[in-house]
Amino acid sequence: MAKLLVPLVVLGAAVSGPGVPASPRCPPRCLCPSAAPSPTLLCARTGLLAVPPSLDRGAVELRLADNFIGAVGRTDFANMSSLVHLTLSRNGLRRLAPGAFADLRALRALHLDGNRLPALSGPQLRGLASLRHLILANNQLAAIDAAAFAAFAATVEDLDLSHNNLPALPWDAVAAMGSLATLTLDHNLLERVPAGAVARLPRLARLDLTANRLRALPPVPGPPGPALAAGGNPLHCNCELLWLRRVSQPGRLETCATPAPLAGRLLGGIPEEELTCRAPSVTSAAADPPAVTEGQTLRLGCAAVGDPPPALHWLGPDGRLVQNGSRRSVGSDGSLELRVATLRDHGGFTCVAANAAGEAAARVDVVVLPLPVPRGRDAEDTEVTGPGPSDMAQAGGNDTWDRPRATVAAEVTGSSARIRWLPQRHLPGVRMVQIQYNSSADDALVYR
Ligand SMILES: *[C@@H]1O[C@H](CO)[C@@H](O)[C@H](O)[C@H]1NC(C)=O
Ligand SMILES: *[C@@H]1O[C@H](CO)[C@@H](O)[C@H](O)[C@H]1NC(C)=O
Ligand SMILES: *[C@@H]1O[C@H](CO)[C@@H](O)[C@H](O)[C@H]1NC(C)=O
Ligand SMILES: *[C@@H]1O[C@H](CO)[C@@H](O)[C@H](O)[C@H]1NC(C)=O
């Protein structure tokens, strides 16, 4: 872009000549070679410290590259609803006010490359409803809010985020860009491209992931599929990269970092049979403690090896997949915590490890001992020596039994209730109050 600009500036100077006064709507030191109805304002390399306030608000093109504009305010580009092309490249720009581009409804190309923007928040690019080209290369971007791209998700064709510090992208927002043809992400710190992130982009023709920190790469659709560059990543070359090996064209630069025998070799030169995976094997699976009384907490641990590292999940004694919930918490390390063990948890749990090469399973036996108290409602006597009857209030209402009310449940919600019990002068020797509850989210009664 800079190479194109310099001759334009020289030409403009020759036409207007040093003695010709600038038009009243042309900011000082700028060149305005074409006037209404499509004014063009050329202000590149003019030593500007801020966006000139005297801009022609009807301009269609505004070039402000190679100046020293460190911040863009909310009203700097106000009312410029005819602007089609805006260049702010190489300004040392650090601050972009929320809504700074809110009036630029017609803008098709926004060049913000070569600045020092540290992050993009939701409202900063608000209003850019016609944007086709967004060039943000060579900034210091370390984070991008998922909402930052919302205004132009349907229109953007060319998104350049290369040479930034991005460890991650809002991939769901990228996946929604139905017109995207070129996605340039080289020279960032990306560690992961989620499976399917680019699979839904029907127009994608070029994807550059060169020089990131990717160890794996999910299959990109094709052929024909987009032209893909992924060299300069520490790829782990196993069976999951066979697809990339197969689309390799001459001149491709993907190299392997691991496993050790393949380190440093070009992926395209490795025979397919050397790109192998290893089926999982479970190295440990145990319950801690192995036996509990109902109501107590118990933790199941599981570890497995394999290439790629296997994903772990648990099947309960009923053979069903254990879901994360209020009583059972599934950890990302493959552990399973039974926060409140119930009699239904008694039995064999199965840890299943799975990866691209296969599956392995290990059984862990869990012993849940019943509480040593009667659980029937009919025990009417209140012996001093034995436990008293269970006086259970019905959830959502008052005690509905015809004996005198002993407990009241109030403020009942889906996950909490306030329990109050009344003084029991005629029941000497009350030793324990037992609360029994269930929740519509779980299918087991719980005693405490
Ligand atoms: C933009 O237009 C509004 C309404 O016409 C006006 O009040 C405001 O001063 C204008 N702002 C600029 C910077 O021209
Ligand atoms: C399960 O839920 C807990 C919080 O209740 C959360 O910390 C954990 O990440 C969740 N695990 C999975 C696998 O979603
Ligand atoms: C619970 O009991 C109180 C006082 O006896 C009464 O005012 C209230 O309406 C009752 N609530 C329900 C849900 O029956
Ligand atoms: C949980 O409580 C509701 C309401 O009292 C009841 O209809 C349901 O049967 C209970 N579930 C179990 C497993 O007892």
Side-chain angles (χ1 to χ4, degrees):
M1 203 47 71
K3 286 185 185 114
L4 184 67
L5 266 181
V6 177
L8 269 181
V9 171
V10 172
L11 180 69
V15 169
S16 56
V20 178
S23 102
R25 306 181 80 184
C26 191
R29 289 189 284 178
C30 298
L31 296 166
C32 305
S34 84
S38 341
T40 298
L41 315 183
L42 305 181
C43 308
R45 242 181 261 277
T46 47
L48 289 171
L49 300 174
V51 177
S54 57
L55 293 175
D56 182 341
R57 302 279 147 185
V60 295
E61 180 167 350
L62 173 55
R63 303 206 176 218
L64 292 165
D66 298 294
N67 283 296
F68 306 95
I69 302 170
V72 171
R74 167 66 187 89
T75 55
D76 285 352
F77 301 119
N79 300 339
M80 300 190 73
S81 54
S82 308
L83 195 62
V84 171
H85 196 124
L86 173 60
T87 309
L88 278 160
S89 310
R90 297 172 303 278
N91 267 283
L93 184 64
R94 278 172 194 276
R95 283 198 310 281
L96 206 51
F101 304 127
D103 291 349
L104 309 189
R105 288 183 290 279
L107 197 72
R108 293 171 71 98
L110 177 57
H111 291 255
L112 287 166
D113 50 301
N115 284 299
R116 295 193 195 162
L117 296 172
L120 282 182
S121 66
Q124 280 175 309
L125 302 178
R126 178 157 58 82
L128 295 168
S130 308
L131 200 63
R132 305 283 199 278
H133 306 274
L134 176 58
I135 312 302
L136 281 158
N138 286 294
N139 275 277
Q140 296 168 357
L141 295 175
I144 298 181
D145 195 280
F149 297 147
F152 43 86
T155 57
V156 70
E157 295 166 4
D158 176 8
L159 177 59
D160 186 348
L161 293 164
S162 60
H163 292 271
N164 277 288
N165 301 327
L166 291 166
L169 271 195
W171 283 107
D172 286 343
V174 172
M177 296 177 174
S179 305
L180 196 63
T182 305
L183 180 56
T184 312
L185 300 171
D186 58 285
H187 296 89
N188 274 288
L189 308 172
L190 299 176
E191 294 190 347
R192 207 172 88 76
V193 177
V198 294
R200 286 176 279 162
L201 297 172
R203 304 256 173 88
L204 193 65
R206 243 189 77 75
L207 173 60
D208 194 344
L209 290 163
T210 304
N212 277 283
R213 294 189 175 171
L214 301 170
R215 287 177 42 77
L217 205 54
V220 168
L228 171 69
N233 282 291
L235 293 176
H236 178 63
C237 293
N238 62 10
C239 72
E240 291 188 306
L241 282 186
L242 273 172
W243 71 270
L244 184 58
R245 165 76 181 77
R246 286 175 187 157
V247 299
S248 279
Q249 304 132 9
R252 298 288 301 263
L253 293 172
E254 289 82 19
T255 51
C256 304
T258 52
L262 302 181
R265 289 172 62 185
L266 269 180
L267 177 64
I270 297 174
E272 286 192 9
E273 57 273 19
E274 288 185 43
L275 295 174
T276 56
C277 286
R278 192 157 40 87
S281 69
V282 177
T283 53
S284 70
D288 176 30
V292 291
T293 307
E294 60 175 318
Q296 291 185 320
T297 297
L298 177 129
R299 199 180 136 89
L300 300 172
C302 184
V305 294
D307 182 7
L312 302 174
H313 59 264
W314 287 92
L315 305 179
D318 56 0
R320 283 161 55 184
L321 180 68
V322 175
Q323 310 268 10
N324 219 10
S326 60
R327 292 192 307 109
R328 295 167 161 192
S329 159
V330 181
S332 53
D333 59 350
S335 66
L336 167 62
E337 188 179 52
L338 307 178
R339 289 212 190 89
V340 184
T342 69
L343 291 179
R344 288 178 196 212
D345 293 328
H346 181 87
F349 279 75
T350 309
C351 169
V352 180
N355 71 8
E359 244 185 48
R363 184 185 153 111
V364 179
D365 282 312
V366 166
V367 177
V368 181
L369 304 165
L371 271 179
V373 293
R375 54 190 62 229
R377 311 178 153 179
D378 306 326
E380 280 291 338
D381 33 339
T382 55
E383 289 171 41
V384 176
T385 51
S390 192
D391 253 333
M392 193 180 79
Q394 298 295 304
N398 293 333
D399 196 335
T400 54
W401 304 339
D402 50 8
R403 76 179 74 174
R405 193 166 65 227
T407 62
V408 180
E411 298 164 31
V412 177
T413 73
S415 60
S416 70
R418 192 160 63 83
I419 310 291
R420 194 157 57 87
W421 52 90
L422 311 172
Q424 305 264 321
R425 265 181 243 101
H426 60 291
L427 288 180
V430 169
R431 299 245 171 108
M432 184 172 90
V433 174
Q434 173 182 292
I435 295 166
Q436 181 187 42
Y437 62 91
N438 79 3
S439 154
S440 49
D442 276 313
D443 58 358
L445 285 172
V446 171
Y447 297 88
R448 274 296 171 85

